[in-house]
Amino acid sequence: MVPVANPYLRSLLSMAIILSLLAVTGCNGCWKQSSQTAEEKKKQEEEEKEKKKKKLPDFEANPPLTMPGIMNDPVFLSQRRKRSQKDPIQKEIEKLISRSRERNFAKPGHWYDVRFQAVANNYDMQGNLRSYPVSGSKPLTIPGTSFSVTTDRAAALPKGEWKTFETSIYFPHAPGQIKSKPFMCEYSAPGVSSGEASSLSMPTMMQQFQHHMVVLTTQPDRYRFIEMTASVQLPLGPNQLGGERNLPHYIVIPSTPKLSPPLPRQSLNWTTIAYVIWDDLDPDELDQNQQSALLDWLHFGGQLIVSGPESLERLENSFLGPYLPATSGKSTNLTNADFSELNQNWSLKETAIKQLKRELIISEKSPLLGVEINPHIDAEFVDGTGELVVERQLGRGRIVATRFSIKANSIKSWRSFDSFFNNVLLRRKPRRFVEKDLDGFEYVWVDDLASMNDPMLVTTVRFLSRDLAGVRGTSQYSPVQSISSRADQQTATNQMYVVGNQLDPVEPEIAVKQTRRQLTDRWHYGGFEAKSNSGLGGWDDFGSVADAARSTLTDAAGIAPPSSTLVLQLLAGYLIVLVPLNWFVFWMVGRVEWAWIAAPIIAILGAIVVIRAASLDIGFTRSNTQVSVLELQSDYPRGHLTEYSALYTSLSTSYQVEQDSQGSQSLPFPSSYVAQEPDSSTPLRITQSNKNVLKGVQIQSNSMQLIHTENMVNVGGAIKLKKLPNGDYELQNDSALELSEVIVVRGRDQRTKACQVARVRSLGAQTKSPVLQFQSFENTTSLTRGIPIYFNPENYAGEVWRKTFGNRGSVTLDMLLGIPEVAEKSDDYKNWFFRQEDFDANEIGLASFINVYQELNPINNVTLGRVIDRVDNALELGTDEFRLYAATDQPIGTTKIVPESTQVDRQTLVVVHLSQPKMGQAKPDANAPSDFGIESTLDRDLRIMDAEDDEEATEDKE
């Protein structure tokens, strides 16, 4: 490089080099800075995009479902897209999920467990879940009252964890037939909007003859054939197999693998379950509440079908062990020889179509796996089954077990399986299938003229206070008829009566036909009746027992005057203080003259004491009058307690009803039979935690409100009848109940045709009675005559009439006033009659006399006469069947009404079914649906499943 001599030029060159270096450096620096800005800008844009992305909602929920029902597994739903479509378990669960909403059924007039699934996505939530049936956007009003009821419970949601909450809901009776009735579940928590947290469900309303059938199994898909039997759902006919069928008698609910069994946890929420089929499910899958509820349900008419051979052994060491009809022995192979007797008695005759062989055939190459069994002493083999099926009655219900699996292909392909299923396993009446029209058929009962859709023949679940037969909506006297005379009349004349008592209109195609029942079948009928809409087992505020209780409360409730004992005690105390004590005190201090000054002061203080004591004695502020019915089954310590309470207050008071069990139920009790919904309703709340509390029952000054509560209670032990070696009987009371005025009624005596009754004055807790001495009585009135607690003014007035006028339908006023029981109040009777618009002095009937007698001779304390007469006149008793009636005034159960009343008058009628009617002999059907071209259950099952498999294969290819 040549040096530059010129200094100016050298300086200029140096400057140029420096600038060039700065330029190079500055460009690189600027590029680098520009690059960093772009990355930051890109990152910022991505963050902004992320922010713009829609956030997960704070709260998500699945539609709530009533139990029994098929629940969705939310975890499975969120992960199923990641799972292999070839997974057979996934396919099985998806089939159940796809049918879950179709199986959401409920019935008006019944209580249900509701399961509600929800998740909090962004933060933990501490909230409240409120559930209620809706009418429009408002809670539905309870018919006959001005109240609506919602159920509340606490519901905590940890972030990201699906939770299942359970609550109870009551569906009020519907005016007419409604296909579906919505109910709402609202979740409220800080930061959650009401719209986001509301979840509406639309369960299909069952008809009065429809019930649930629950299948507890780990292989639910293998029990789909049950849904297709004519016992469950009868097809319309051979020309209508494209999906149209009659309405099912049973909604089949299978258990879902990996989820909790679809059973309610509260006993009184099982009322629409008729049958449970148990096959290979681990009994520990049921929690303690479900186990206790199942046992209660069994003793009050539920039927459990145990499918062998493994299930019996699995259940022996479970909560069901003491109640099973047999214990299992060693495994064995069952061949055609083992089924020969069953085939002979239960395989229906072949038709002209040779392909429809109806015998059960076991392949010689693959014998059917079975088990040997040892029957319980109280169990019996079903007639004609070759000791392959054994059953045991438990109260009103039963458990039946088979030595083989009913889901085995050889069993369900048996062309006579539907007859075997209907008559042996379900224990229903035998059927005869007949043509209904050109395109359909139906069946009639072989030995009964009742309707095919008669609820009484679809389930055997019965509750005395809910299902007792009787004239609804009236408390007028009807002549008492003895048990023996009623039974004789049925035997002699084959007595039947019209089904129905339809209070509300129903659609004609689904109505229970007005046909006649064979009442000698006491197991299915026996003095019970199905109500319109609710059928059997539903909550009933207007039934026979409720009507009798309402009449009693109307007479007895209110404020009672001070007792004569209290008046005498207060007077004696006042005189002692005023004279001797007053004089003695001032004599001691030497100022006897001061006693005159103290006298007016003592009088004023005495008046205050009298007023205070009298107000406490008469319940000046509050009174509670209660009539209850406790129904027990023999040799079982738990019973159904129904309480009817009349709350009276002289000051406006807000009450709440507390019950220490989540399974308890409580609602306002209508005071009249008018079931019209008001324009607006008063909201009540049931809060659920470890107990149920009905809140917000506001009673105005000097008025009364009736409350109806029910619960299953444990009385500490069973009450049973023991037969002694010499043939006599005695009662064993192992409960904590102190019973008085015990009456044991026995079925009619074959020789004398009279009602047999034994009376025991008292039966203490943990004691036994003397040997029962049975006597003949003409009727209920005569057996309770002279027992004050069982006094019934209706029956007494009827006796007075018959004693004076015999069977005359009407008399003149002068004749009536001549009765000694009337003469003392003749003016009052005249005034009462003259106030009646339709009064005719020459035509006074029995009903009018009973009405005036009750009004002019009110009962100021609780008696059980009306209730016991309603029960005993309705319920039938066969030969060597026994029932116990008793009274007790001790508190039973856990119901607590707050604030407490200063005056309480409580009486409970205890009814113990010491024995139950026998089920009778099981008989096969007269023919089969295949006689009308209907395919067999297995063929239909396989055809449908093959079609579904083809559809799934097509979807997989796509």
Side-chain angles (χ1 to χ4, degrees), residues 842-863:
N842 296 317
E843 292 287 338
I844 298 177
L846 172 60
S848 296
F849 172 62
I850 291 175
N851 289 335
V852 63
Y853 179 84
Q854 291 183 94
E855 183 168 330
L856 298 180
N857 297 275
I859 302 174
N860 295 322
N861 60 296
V862 174
T863 64

Side-chain angles (χ1 to χ4, degrees), residues 598-815:
I601 299 175
I602 294 174
I604 294 173
L605 293 177
I608 295 173
V609 171
V610 168
I611 292 172
R612 176 61 178 168
S615 67
L616 291 175
D617 179 70
I618 67 175
F620 181 74
T621 53
R622 293 177 297 273
S623 72
N624 179 8
T625 309
Q626 187 178 96
V627 176
S628 305
V629 177
L630 173 64
E631 183 183 15
L632 293 166
Q633 305 293 337
S634 177
D635 211 16
Y636 188 63
R638 288 172 58 83
H640 178 226
L641 177 65
T642 305
E643 300 169 299
Y644 305 96
S645 301
L647 305 179
Y648 183 95
T649 178
S650 59
L651 302 174
S652 180
T653 306
S654 179
Y655 285 88
Q656 65 182 36
V657 183
E658 300 178 357
Q659 295 174 294
D660 287 343
S661 168
Q662 284 190 346
S664 58
Q665 300 169 350
S666 180
L667 289 174
F669 184 40
S671 58
S672 67
Y673 307 107
V674 179
Q676 297 178 349
E677 295 188 8
D679 296 333
S680 60
S681 60
T682 303
L684 303 179
R685 287 191 303 130
I686 298 175
T687 59
Q688 291 185 320
S689 54
N690 293 329
K691 58 184 179 181
N692 277 358
V693 181
L694 176 66
K695 297 181 177 180
V697 182
Q698 184 69 37
I699 305 178
Q700 302 304 318
S701 300
N702 297 317
S703 60
M704 181 175 66
Q705 174 62 51
L706 306 182
I707 299 292
H708 177 178
T709 64
E710 296 188 24
N711 199 3
M712 296 298 295
V713 297
N714 193 320
V715 297
I719 300 174
K720 53 190 174 183
L721 185 71
K722 295 179 63 178
K723 188 172 184 178
L724 303 177
N726 63 357
D728 290 334
Y729 293 91
E730 67 180 13
L731 292 171
Q732 180 70 43
N733 180 13
D734 294 329
S735 74
L737 298 175
E738 299 286 341
L739 305 178
S740 63
E741 304 299 350
V742 179
I743 296 175
V744 178
V745 184
R746 183 180 186 177
R748 72 185 189 279
D749 182 88
Q750 291 289 352
R751 185 178 58 84
T752 63
K753 306 300 182 183
C755 179
Q756 299 296 302
V757 176
R759 182 175 173 185
V760 179
R761 292 289 183 181
S762 63
L763 184 62
Q766 306 296 320
T767 62
K768 64 180 180 179
S769 71
V771 173
L772 299 180
Q773 303 293 328
F774 286 94
Q775 300 178 14
S776 297
F777 280 82
E778 178 186 354
N779 51 41
T780 309
T781 306
S782 59
L783 72 89
T784 57
R785 185 185 292 118
I787 306 177
I789 193 63
Y790 296 142
F791 177 72
N792 183 351
E794 299 173 5
N795 278 347
Y796 181 76
E799 279 193 325
V800 170
W801 179 283
R802 290 197 308 274
K803 182 178 65 175
T804 309
F805 306 118
N807 294 325
R808 294 188 62 167
S810 63
V811 297
T812 66
L813 179 59
D814 291 337
M815 294 172 63

Side-chain angles (χ1 to χ4, degrees), residues 265-338:
R265 288 182 165 82
Q266 316 305 334
S267 303
L268 294 179
N269 294 1
W270 283 60
T271 49
T272 58
I273 301 177
Y275 296 92
V276 172
I277 300 176
W278 197 304
D279 188 356
D280 69 34
L281 188 77
D282 186 347
D284 290 336
E285 292 288 326
L286 276 65
D287 61 30
Q288 288 187 349
N289 288 332
Q290 289 173 320
Q291 293 176 10
S292 178
L294 191 151
L295 291 177
D296 291 342
W297 168 80
L298 273 173
H299 284 83
F300 281 83
Q303 297 191 52
L304 174 64
I305 302 168
V306 180
S307 174
E310 296 91 352
S311 297
L312 262 179
E313 182 179 2
R314 176 167 287 187
L315 292 174
E316 284 174 13
N317 296 320
S318 73
F319 70 100
L320 279 169
Y323 305 97
L324 294 175
T327 56
S328 61
K330 64 181 181 180
S331 299
T332 184
N333 289 327
L334 300 175
T335 64
N336 286 317
D338 296 302

Side-chain angles (χ1 to χ4, degrees), residues 520-542:
T520 53
D521 177 7
R522 287 186 296 276
W523 188 46
H524 283 106
Y525 305 125
F528 296 100
E529 70 175 357
K531 308 304 189 301
S532 62
N533 287 322
S534 63
L536 289 155
W539 184 273
D540 192 1
D541 285 329
F542 301 106

Side-chain angles (χ1 to χ4, degrees), residues 213-267:
M213 178 184 291
V214 180
V215 182
L216 301 179
T217 178
T218 58
Q219 305 175 70
D221 208 46
R222 294 195 63 185
Y223 271 94
R224 289 191 59 189
F225 76 100
I226 291 292
E227 304 172 32
M228 302 169 192
T229 61
S231 303
V232 171
Q233 186 174 19
L234 183 69
L236 289 177
N239 298 328
Q240 298 182 350
L241 292 178
E244 290 191 51
R245 298 168 68 83
N246 286 287
L247 288 176
H249 279 180
Y250 305 104
I251 311 301
V252 180
I253 304 294
S255 53
T256 304
K258 302 181 181 180
L259 292 184
S260 174
L263 294 172
R265 288 182 165 82
Q266 316 305 334
S267 303

